[in-house]
Amino acid sequence: MAMGDDKSFDDEESVDGNRPSSAASAFKVPAPKTSGNPVNSARKPGSAGGPKVGGASKEGGAGAVDEEDFIKAFTDVPSIQIYSGRELEETLNKIREILSDDKHDWDQRANALKKIRSLLVAGAAQYDSFFQHLRLLDGALKLSAKDLRSQVVREACITVAHLSTVLGNKFDHGAEAIVPTLFNLVPNSAKVMATSGCAAIRFIIRHTHVPRLIPLITSNCTSKSVPVRRRSFEFLDLLLQEWQTHSLERHAAVLVETIKKGIHDADAEARVEARKTYMGLRNHFPGEAETLYNSLEPSYQKSLQTYLKSSGSVASLPQSDRSSSSSQESLNRPFSSKWSTANPSTVAGRVAAGSSKAGSLPGSLQRSRSDIDVNAAAGAKAHHAAGQAMRSGRLGAGALNPGSYASLGKIADCGQLY
């Protein structure tokens, strides 16, 4: 394996208190050579490779990192080549030795984590021995994520996220081992640590769909820490969006119970995040979601309805609520749409009786009232139904109300009533 010229930190001041680095024989990762930018230029904390620390514009505020920073850092590592499986094993053993001992200088530990990403970029996953040694690295990765040095924690989170992205479900054992440690970073007061832990969890949820991760997430939804509960429901919402139903079936009851507790959470923001997960639950398990909805108190049902309607997800409401919603919509329809299928004569009669409503009818009903005399039309219909012609105008159509011909009595041949 071509490693290039090793870089020694012995002549460089350490940010840990000006103490020198460990022995020069320790494992080193060659620094990338950039023209016009000396390798030994002064470095500041947080600038030793990895993603750039975000400014105040980032979601987590000053010092935060996000997923875009992670993606850039995946391949921003020294380039190496793998010549044989045996060399790969030797390198992984050396990495494990450094990461398993927190007495090593933080620079060495950070570089060892970058070296794992260098191996991934070089195609280490094509070797069967890589997965055997990766399982042996679980403890070392957990120790790195617990480190007090933020740069080491960040590099550990980036490396774990890269492993999940490249290996997918083959990273199942490592993901299950590291996720609890990542959750411990969420409430950390150091933004770089908290946001690194959150970003790593998101990458794992997106790329490593292992059902054993579900209890690890749902258990944190009832954490005593408010920030942890908020983030946990956010992660659960992402999981319900990204995973297939068959990966969730064994834990459907746990998901329902967790979401129900979240909707009742004492923290307002946690409740909002929990309501978001309801839509994902309904997409996978509509029956269980409706049962959950019906078990809620009316006030919580109303809050959930309001959220779903505001997000344009009325289809996610239970059938009974969609029906009532449709009925309410029909009551709010314009005047013309209610009468569009009514009997024309009835509509015309209503128009004549209420001129104030006539302006809201469609053009086909907005006729001049001089076009048709409603009473005359009704009278003509009465005479036609009786089969007799009205003679000499004794019984004027205007004297009859619509439909009143049945009360006229019988008509004699002479055309008079008797």
Side-chain angles (χ1 to χ4, degrees):
M1 183 180 302
M3 303 280 295
D5 297 330
D6 288 346
K7 174 182 179 297
S8 174
F9 295 99
D10 289 349
D11 298 330
E12 183 180 53
E13 287 188 349
S14 169
V15 295
D16 284 325
N18 295 330
R19 60 183 177 86
S21 301
S22 300
S25 59
F27 170 75
K28 301 293 181 182
V29 176
K33 297 179 180 179
T34 305
S35 59
N37 186 17
V39 173
N40 290 324
S41 59
R43 295 182 303 166
K44 297 180 181 179
S47 63
K52 296 179 180 179
V53 177
S57 60
K58 288 188 179 296
E59 180 184 357
V65 294
D66 56 21
E67 294 171 55
E68 183 179 351
D69 295 321
F70 270 42
I71 293 173
K72 292 177 181 177
F74 286 167
T75 54
D76 185 17
V77 291
S79 177
I80 63 174
Q81 291 181 340
I82 302 174
Y83 292 108
S84 68
R86 183 171 181 177
E87 265 189 298
L88 174 61
E89 293 179 23
E90 292 176 354
T91 303
L92 289 171
N93 286 332
K94 191 64 177 179
I95 290 173
R96 187 172 72 254
E97 177 186 339
I98 294 174
L99 295 180
S100 299
D101 184 5
D102 58 3
K103 298 298 188 292
H104 278 281
D105 186 81
W106 71 271
D107 271 323
Q108 295 182 37
R109 285 177 278 141
N111 287 336
L113 290 164
K114 293 179 187 178
K115 188 60 175 269
I116 297 176
R117 305 204 298 274
S118 294
L119 293 173
L120 284 174
V121 174
Q126 300 174 8
Y127 294 81
D128 293 336
S129 59
F130 174 76
F131 294 95
Q132 299 171 5
H133 284 271
L134 182 60
R135 293 196 63 169
L136 298 176
L137 277 172
D138 287 348
L141 290 173
K142 289 172 61 177
L143 184 62
S144 299
K146 295 177 181 178
D147 202 275
L148 298 178
R149 171 67 59 174
S150 62
Q151 288 88 336
V152 175
V153 172
R154 183 183 61 190
E155 293 299 335
C157 291
I158 294 171
T159 301
V160 166
H162 194 198
L163 285 166
S164 177
T165 302
V166 174
L167 304 180
N169 287 354
K170 291 183 179 180
F171 187 57
D172 56 344
H173 193 274
E176 187 179 3
I178 196 66
V179 162
T181 304
L182 297 177
F183 266 103
N184 290 335
L185 295 173
V186 173
N188 198 298
S189 58
K191 290 294 184 182
V192 64
M193 291 188 176
T195 54
S196 293
C198 290
I201 293 174
R202 292 191 192 101
F203 274 101
I204 290 174
I205 291 174
R206 287 196 176 98
H207 300 285
T208 305
H209 300 177
V210 181
R212 295 192 302 273
L213 296 178
I214 296 176
L216 301 180
I217 297 174
T218 56
S219 63
N220 281 282
C221 290
T222 56
S223 170
K224 293 181 179 180
S225 170
V226 173
V228 171
R229 296 204 306 272
R230 293 174 182 174
R231 290 295 188 181
S232 296
F233 282 110
E234 177 190 324
F235 299 145
L236 188 59
D237 181 38
L238 178 63
L239 184 146
L240 291 171
Q241 293 179 37
E242 296 284 339
W243 289 27
Q244 298 294 322
T245 302
H246 66 83
S247 299
L248 307 172
E249 289 174 344
R250 291 177 54 189
H251 299 281
V254 174
L255 292 171
V256 171
E257 186 63 25
T258 300
I259 294 173
K260 183 176 181 179
K261 290 180 180 178
I263 293 175
H264 290 85
D265 197 280
D267 179 67
E269 289 189 33
R271 292 197 299 271
V272 171
E273 295 297 332
R275 292 186 199 116
K276 293 179 182 177
T277 64
Y278 178 85
M279 292 186 288
L281 178 69
R282 188 167 185 82
N283 290 336
H284 292 286
F285 309 107
E288 287 82 349
E290 184 157 358
T291 301
L292 166 61
Y293 178 86
N294 292 331
S295 69
L296 297 175
E297 295 82 353
S299 60
Y300 290 101
Q301 288 183 347
K302 183 177 180 181
S303 298
L304 185 56
Q305 284 186 32
T306 301
Y307 171 76
L308 294 175
K309 290 177 182 178
S310 65
S311 61
S313 303
V314 177
S316 295
L317 287 171
Q319 187 64 39
S320 58
D321 289 281
R322 290 204 298 272
S323 301
S324 61
S325 176
S326 299
S327 300
Q328 185 63 34
E329 289 177 4
S330 66
L331 293 175
N332 295 330
R333 287 175 185 165
F335 178 84
S336 59
S337 63
K338 296 182 192 176
W339 289 358
S340 58
T341 58
N343 186 299
S345 63
T346 303
V347 175
R350 290 176 180 174
V351 173
S355 59
S356 62
K357 296 182 180 180
S360 64
L361 292 173
S364 59
L365 297 179
Q366 293 181 355
R367 297 175 181 171
S368 170
R369 283 185 270 296
S370 63
D371 291 347
I372 297 176
D373 188 332
V374 178
N375 292 330
K381 183 176 181 180
H383 292 308
H384 183 271
Q388 298 292 336
M390 299 299 294
R391 295 191 181 103
S392 67
R394 291 184 179 181
L395 189 60
L400 296 175
N401 292 324
S404 61
Y405 59 88
S407 61
L408 292 177
K410 295 182 180 180
I411 304 177
D413 290 341
C414 63
Q416 296 187 1
L417 297 175
Y418 69 95

